[in-house]
Amino acid sequence: TLLSPQCLAAAIERHGITTLFLTTALFNQMVEQIPAALGKLRYLLFGGEAYADKGMNQIDGNVFNNGKSEIKYNNYAGFAQGMFRTPLANFTVGARYHYSDKYPSSFVPRLAVTKASAKTHFKSLYSKAFRTPSIENLNYGVNIKPEKTTTIEFETGWSVNDFWSITTNVFDITTVDPIIYFYENLDGYKNGPENGTRGFELSSIYRNKNVNVLASYSFYSTGGKTSVDDYLAEEGKNYVLAFPNHKISVTLTFNVSRRINVCYVHHWMSERQSCAGADADGNNIFTTYAPMHHGNISCRIKNIFTSGMTLGFGVNNVLDNKIIYIQPYNGGHAPLPGLSREYRITLSYNLNFGNH
């Protein structure tokens, strides 16, 4: 259809399309050949771009892989998106094409189907995305290609009543040709093997005049997926370094009065692993960290001394648990320490120029 303005015009008429995204070239073609077809649209979306990646090596004697101290890559892209409303559901279709004079081109489509009613909603999403190599990726890599990610997602939600809703989401993410850093006597970048995760999330929201509660549980696994060796935890764990399989989050907000509210946020994560090196035989040494709790509490008092002035105070890491930041890859480094219990107080004033 995008290659035929006449077919596109017929589709706009047949489906009653009111929102459409076109590339600049196709928009110009439609204006020249069938301008009346665009008159039925409420929103018309189209675009394209051209840009250059430029780099300069200012260290004497150092050059890029082109043998020069300066380098430049030209990039061109076009993108389009259209939305179709039908009695069955709403359909959103889009795509982006990217061309570079240095690495292979990329084409990434996107399709979404949504439907909402008074009590329920549904979303189905299929999309592709890409990450282009940077100048340093290309300079220290060999035949580097853009990495491409495919996401498949299904979501459904139910409003139990005026105060309570439940949403569940299932996803599958796969990345092909991930751009990864490696060290083998010299630094470098390469495209790694296909990797990905799959999982689901369940969330619930309860809101009334004085209390808001948001609770969520999420799970992901690398089971059934290939992965980059340097990202994987110990064999049989089905998760990647630094990230837990399971996570629970709860946010509770209580309005004590019109001027005072209290908020408590609590996170729980299942076990995680790090890899900080190898033994004498070259086998990776993994360390497993027990499940972790982490909570923050804060209180805010509005108009405390005068209108517009707010006093806030709170405690981070209420339980004073040992927080660590684990490298999500086998980099040979131990986890970095996080903050212990922390107290904070703030005083702010809103000048509110808009009312004067």
Side-chain angles (χ1 to χ4, degrees), residues 225-242:
K225 295 278 193 178
T226 57
S227 187
V228 178
D229 288 341
D230 285 342
Y231 298 166
L232 283 175
E234 195 172 9
E235 186 176 355
K237 290 295 186 180
N238 285 338
Y239 56 78
V240 293
L241 295 173

Side-chain angles (χ1 to χ4, degrees), residues 148 223 233:
K148 297 182 180 180

Side-chain angles (χ1 to χ4, degrees), residues 20 36 47 61 65 162 317 345:
L20 187 64
N65 56 5
D162 292 339
N317 192 5
I345 183 169

Side-chain angles (χ1 to χ4, degrees), residues 94-348:
R96 178 183 176 94
Y97 177 78
H98 180 95
Y99 171 81
S100 171
D101 59 10
K102 184 60 179 178
Y103 46 81
S105 61
S106 298
F107 175 77
V108 288
R110 175 185 176 91
L111 171 65
V113 182
T114 60
K115 178 68 174 180
S117 65
K119 287 288 187 178
T120 62
H121 75 268
F122 168 81
K123 177 181 74 174
S124 178
L125 173 68
Y126 173 86
S127 67
K128 286 182 174 288
F130 66 91
R131 181 167 75 95
T132 58
S134 68
I135 288 178
E136 288 297 271
N137 293 152
L138 296 167
N139 192 45
Y140 289 101
V142 178
N143 298 324
I144 295 291
K145 299 178 289 185
E147 68 175 44
K148 297 182 180 180
T149 298
T150 301
T151 300
I152 302 174
E153 182 180 341
F154 299 96
E155 178 182 297
T156 185
W158 174 43
S159 295
V160 181
N161 52 43
D162 292 339
F163 308 105
W164 182 25
S165 64
I166 301 173
T167 302
T168 184
N169 180 284
V170 180
F171 65 87
D172 184 285
I173 302 173
T174 302
T175 300
V176 178
D177 296 322
I179 301 172
I180 61 174
Y181 167 83
F182 71 94
Y183 181 82
E184 296 175 0
N185 298 322
L186 293 173
D187 294 311
Y189 294 92
K190 62 183 179 181
N191 291 111
E194 177 183 304
N195 70 101
T197 62
R198 54 170 60 101
F200 69 91
E201 182 177 37
L202 178 65
S203 62
S204 179
I205 301 176
Y206 178 85
R207 291 191 179 100
N208 65 23
K209 183 178 179 181
N210 295 317
V211 177
N212 290 345
V213 181
L214 170 61
S216 66
Y217 165 74
S218 56
F219 166 81
Y220 88 93
S221 173
T222 58
K225 295 278 193 178
T226 57
S227 187
V228 178
D229 288 341
D230 285 342
Y231 298 166
L232 283 175
E234 195 172 9
E235 186 176 355
K237 290 295 186 180
N238 285 338
Y239 56 78
V240 293
L241 295 173
F243 294 96
N245 274 135
H246 308 271
K247 181 179 179 180
I248 298 175
S249 298
V250 178
T251 301
L252 171 63
T253 304
F254 179 60
N255 297 319
V256 180
S257 67
R258 296 182 62 182
R259 296 176 50 240
I260 304 174
N261 67 64
V262 178
C263 179
Y264 179 74
V265 180
H266 193 91
H267 301 290
W268 175 86
M269 293 184 291
S270 59
E271 70 171 30
R272 298 175 294 162
Q273 279 197 338
S274 70
C275 183
D279 59 21
D281 297 324
N283 300 312
N284 288 333
I285 301 174
F286 294 96
T287 301
T288 302
Y289 297 89
M292 185 187 76
H293 290 269
H294 179 258
N296 300 327
I297 189 169
S298 62
C299 179
R300 187 173 63 168
I301 306 174
K302 300 178 182 178
N303 304 322
I304 185 169
F305 298 120
T306 183
S307 178
M309 183 169 288
T310 301
L311 173 67
F313 54 90
V315 182
N316 293 340
N317 192 5
V318 174
L319 303 176
D320 200 23
N321 286 329
K322 182 180 179 181
I323 297 175
I324 56 172
Y325 297 98
I326 303 172
Q327 283 192 318
Y329 53 88
N330 182 4
H333 296 282
L336 298 175
L339 293 175
S340 59
R341 184 183 292 124
E342 178 185 29
Y343 301 91
R344 55 186 170 81
I345 183 169
T346 60
L347 185 66
S348 62

Side-chain angles (χ1 to χ4, degrees), residues 8-33:
L8 179 58
I12 293 173
E13 175 69 26
R14 183 168 61 253
H15 297 287
I17 296 172
T18 59
T19 302
L20 187 64
F21 191 98
L22 296 177
T23 61
T24 305
L26 184 54
F27 171 74
N28 292 334
Q29 191 177 8
M30 291 290 292
V31 170
E32 292 174 0
Q33 298 184 24

